[in-house]
Amino acid sequence: LFKLALIGGAGVGKSTLAFTFGKHLEKQGLRIAIANMDPACRHITYKPSLDIRDWWTVDKIMKQRKLGPHGALGKVYELVLKEGELLDEVKGIEKENDVLLLDTAGSLEMFLLENGSEFLRRFSDAVLFMVDNTSVESKADFLVLKAINTIQKVKYALPTLTVVNKCDLIKESKLPPRSKAPSHLELAGSRVVSEHLEPLLAELSKGEKLVFTSATLRRGYEELFDAINEIRCECGEA
Ligand SMILES: Nc1nc2c(ncn2[C@@H]2O[C@H](COP(=O)(O)OP(=O)(O)OP(=O)(O)O)[C@@H](O)[C@H]2O)c(=O)[nH]1
Ligand SMILES: [Mg+2]
C-alpha cells in the first residue's frame, strides 16, 4: 500500500482531487482507498474507507476541551498520534488496496512547525502539497513554492511534491515559460534580497518542479501520475 497525504490551504481542492484523481487511478487498474482525515468537514463527495470523524470531530473537541476551531484541530491530530487506533485501521486496509489517499485538514504551519509532521511520517509514504491558482501570480511565487517544497522534504523526511490546482483559473499569460527559471525576485528591491536571498532560493528550488492540475476538469492527471511515480522511487517503492 502506497500512502499519499494531501495537504494544503483551505479550499485549494484537496477533497475534490482525492475523489477525481482516485477515479483516474482506478482507471489505471489500481485499487484506491480514501481516508477522510478532516475532523471538521461537513460533507464529502467520495465514500471514505476510513473517516476520522468516527473517532473525533472538531465540534466535539471544541466543546469538551473549550478550544477554538484551530486549537481543536491540533488537539485531534495530537489524539490521533497518542491513541494509535486510526493507524491500526490503516494497516487493516493494507491488503485490499494499492493506494491510500489521505485527505487532510490543517495549515502548512501545523505540518511544518507543529506536531503535524509526526502525523505525516506515521501515516504516509509521500506528501502532495496543494496550492491553487492564487499562489502563482508572479515569478517569485514559483521560486518560493519550489523552495518551500524542499523545506518540507527536510522537515517531514518524506518525498514531497507541490501541486498547483485550479489551473483552469490561471491565465496563460501569467505563467512564466516552464523551461526558464525565474531570474529575479519581485518582492523587494533590497540588496540583501538580490545578493543573498535570491541565490539561496534558486539553490533550494533547483530540481523541483510544480505539477498543474484541475481537479474539477480532471486535467494534468497524467503528469501528476508520472510525478508521483518519480517520487515513489525516491521513497524506495517499486
Ligand atoms: N475552478 C476549480 N475549482 C475547483 C478545483 N478543484 C476544486 N475546486 C472547487 O474548490 C472548492 C473547494 O474544493 P475542496 O475540494 O472542498 O477543497 P479542500 O482543499 O478540500 O477544502 P477544505 O477541506 O475546506 O480545506 C469547491 O467548490 C470545488 O468545486 C479546480 O481544479 N478548479
Ligand atoms: Mg476538504
Side-chain angles (χ1 to χ4, degrees):
L1 181 73
F2 180 67
K3 303 183 289 302
L4 191 60
L6 309 181
I7 70 168
V12 297
K14 300 178 292 295
S15 301
T16 309
L17 187 125
F19 177 58
T20 60
F21 187 58
K23 290 279 167 218
H24 177 84
L25 294 177
E26 271 172 4
K27 280 194 195 145
Q28 317 290 314
L30 294 165
R31 295 166 305 167
I32 305 303
I34 306 178
N36 173 44
M37 289 288 173
D38 181 352
C41 84
R42 295 279 155 106
H43 38 77
I44 328 180
T45 44
Y46 51 83
K47 192 171 172 292
S49 303
L50 207 147
D51 195 331
I52 196 170
R53 295 174 303 174
D54 294 338
W55 283 266
W56 300 282
T57 65
V58 159
D59 279 346
K60 228 196 240 164
I61 296 291
M62 279 171 71
K63 280 193 200 114
Q64 273 175 4
R65 313 235 174 188
K66 298 193 170 41
L67 291 167
H70 300 295
L73 184 63
K75 191 55 156 182
V76 170
Y77 276 81
E78 198 185 302
L79 290 167
V80 167
L81 290 176
K82 208 160 85 187
E83 302 197 359
E85 292 163 37
L86 258 180
L87 202 55
D88 292 342
E89 287 288 316
V90 170
K91 287 189 183 126
I93 62 171
E94 209 149 338
K95 282 205 183 80
E96 302 104 61
N97 294 286
D98 299 308
V99 179
L100 172 66
L101 299 170
L102 295 141
D103 181 16
T104 73
S107 59
L108 186 59
E109 208 167 271
M110 189 178 102
F111 291 112
L112 207 49
L113 304 173
E114 297 158 19
N115 64 356
S117 64
E118 177 65 19
F119 167 84
L120 292 175
R121 272 193 297 277
R122 293 265 284 276
F123 278 85
S124 59
D125 301 308
V127 177
L128 283 195
F129 172 55
M130 289 181 64
V131 298
D132 68 11
N133 57 302
T134 60
S135 294
V136 288
E137 300 203 322
S138 69
K139 285 183 179 178
D141 286 346
F142 281 70
L143 200 56
V144 167
L145 280 181
K146 289 179 181 179
I148 290 175
N149 197 68
T150 300
I151 290 167
Q152 290 188 87
K153 279 184 193 167
V154 173
K155 175 69 186 187
Y156 313 148
L158 289 169
T160 301
L161 178 70
T162 295
V163 175
V164 182
N165 190 41
K166 304 194 185 179
C167 73
D168 52 295
L169 302 179
I170 300 175
K171 289 197 190 82
E172 270 305 317
S173 59
K174 281 198 171 170
L175 291 178
R178 299 267 173 93
S179 55
K180 231 171 151 191
S183 59
H184 68 284
L185 285 179
E186 290 154 4
L187 39 88
S190 90
R191 235 161 44 98
V192 177
V193 170
S194 62
E195 285 179 14
H196 300 286
L197 192 56
E198 186 183 343
L200 184 64
L201 281 177
E203 190 61 32
L204 280 176
S205 60
K206 218 187 240 173
E208 296 292 347
K209 66 171 169 200
L210 305 176
V211 177
F212 291 79
T213 60
S214 168
T216 45
L217 303 181
R218 306 185 185 200
R219 275 197 219 143
Y221 281 180
E222 292 293 329
E223 292 82 354
L224 179 58
F225 186 56
D226 290 347
I228 290 170
N229 275 327
E230 273 173 37
I231 63 168
R232 261 183 93 160
C233 296
E234 280 176 44
C235 58
E237 289 251 343

